[in-house]
Structure formats: structure tokens, C-alpha cells
Amino acid sequence: MNIDIWMDVRCPFCYIEKKNFELALNNFKYKDKVILIWHSFELDPKLKTDIEIDTQEPLPHRNKILKEQAASMQRAITLGKEIGIDFNFGKLIMANSFNAHKLIQFAKSDGVAAEAFESLFKNYFSEGKNIDDLETLLAIGISL
């Protein structure tokens, strides 16, 4: 069975669902018959990388979401801790994900797209790395 998975490495919900999916798949009796096909999807192609922006503020302003709603979303995301995700929103860098997706597609040709997604998610959400920085992407690529 083929399963197509579309995600953006800037999406915290994608990170949570990737982890949840992998946990479920590990308990699936026929997991060895499952072929995962990883696809890149850039949620905000017009986003400009800006290492100076306060990442606690842009969501309400860019999407016209009230600050309280944005805070509620961020609290919900902390549920990721239950599945081993250490979100560190205070370190987050507002970065365009296009170059990260190029790395994922390159990794896909070597059969390590899932690992590329995982590394990019961790570097972005936990380590506060700029996923639009070529040196950062090179280091992630070498580590795969």
C-alpha cells in the first residue's frame, strides 16, 4: 500500500502528525507492506526569511488571528511533548522553507526523505536553526 504524505517543515502540526503517524505505523501488522511517499508542500511561499522578527508575534498579524487564538494554538502544540517533540518557540527563526524542501527532494532520491523531514523539523522547532540558511542545510544533508 502506498501512502502519500504532504507536509511543510515550518508547520508544527505536520511535525506532530508525522510523529503520531510513525507511532501508529510501528504498531501496524503489515507495516512492511507500506510504502511512504514524501512530498513537499510550502505553506507560505511568499514568506521572506527574517532572522530579526519576533516569532511570537507574526502569526496574529499575518493571519489576522487574535493573539489569544495564537497562544491557544501554541499551547496545543506543546502536546507534542507527549510524543517526544521539544518545541522551543522562543528560538524559532522566521524562515522560508523552499530551500529546505529542495534538500528533502534530494534526500528522497537517496531514500531518506523521512529522515530529512525529521531532522529539519527538529533543527527548526527545537534547535532554532535557520532552515533557509545554506550552511545549515548542508550540515543537515551531510548528517542524513
Side-chain angles (χ1 to χ4, degrees), residues 66-86:
L66 297 173
K67 286 185 181 184
E68 295 80 20
Q69 290 172 308
S72 175
M73 289 172 64
Q74 289 182 339
R75 280 192 302 275
I77 292 168
T78 60
L79 294 174
K81 286 191 182 295
E82 293 177 11
I83 53 173
I85 299 173
D86 183 26

Side-chain angles (χ1 to χ4, degrees), residues 11-112:
C11 172
F13 298 104
C14 293
Y15 193 11
I16 290 169
E17 291 312 312
K18 178 184 180 294
K19 289 282 197 184
N20 281 328
F21 179 81
E22 290 169 341
L23 290 168
L25 185 60
N26 282 336
N27 294 319
F28 183 54
K29 181 179 179 180
Y30 303 103
K31 68 181 173 187
D32 58 325
K33 299 190 185 309
V34 174
I35 298 170
L36 301 178
I37 304 165
W38 297 91
H39 300 278
S40 295
F41 181 80
E42 193 176 9
L43 288 171
D44 192 353
K46 294 180 182 178
L47 177 78
K48 302 281 188 231
T49 298
D50 185 346
I51 62 172
E52 300 297 322
I53 203 164
D54 180 354
T55 56
Q56 302 297 312
E57 291 298 318
L59 185 63
H61 296 286
R62 290 175 4 91
N63 296 327
K64 299 190 179 9
I65 296 174
L66 297 173
K67 286 185 181 184
E68 295 80 20
Q69 290 172 308
S72 175
M73 289 172 64
Q74 289 182 339
R75 280 192 302 275
I77 292 168
T78 60
L79 294 174
K81 286 191 182 295
E82 293 177 11
I83 53 173
I85 299 173
D86 183 26
F87 286 110
N88 189 345
F89 291 106
K91 292 175 95 175
L92 205 65
I93 292 174
M94 188 59 60
N96 182 286
S97 60
F98 184 75
N99 287 325
H101 287 296
K102 287 200 268 186
L103 172 61
I104 290 164
Q105 294 310 305
F106 182 74
K108 187 176 180 178
S109 67
D110 282 343
V112 291

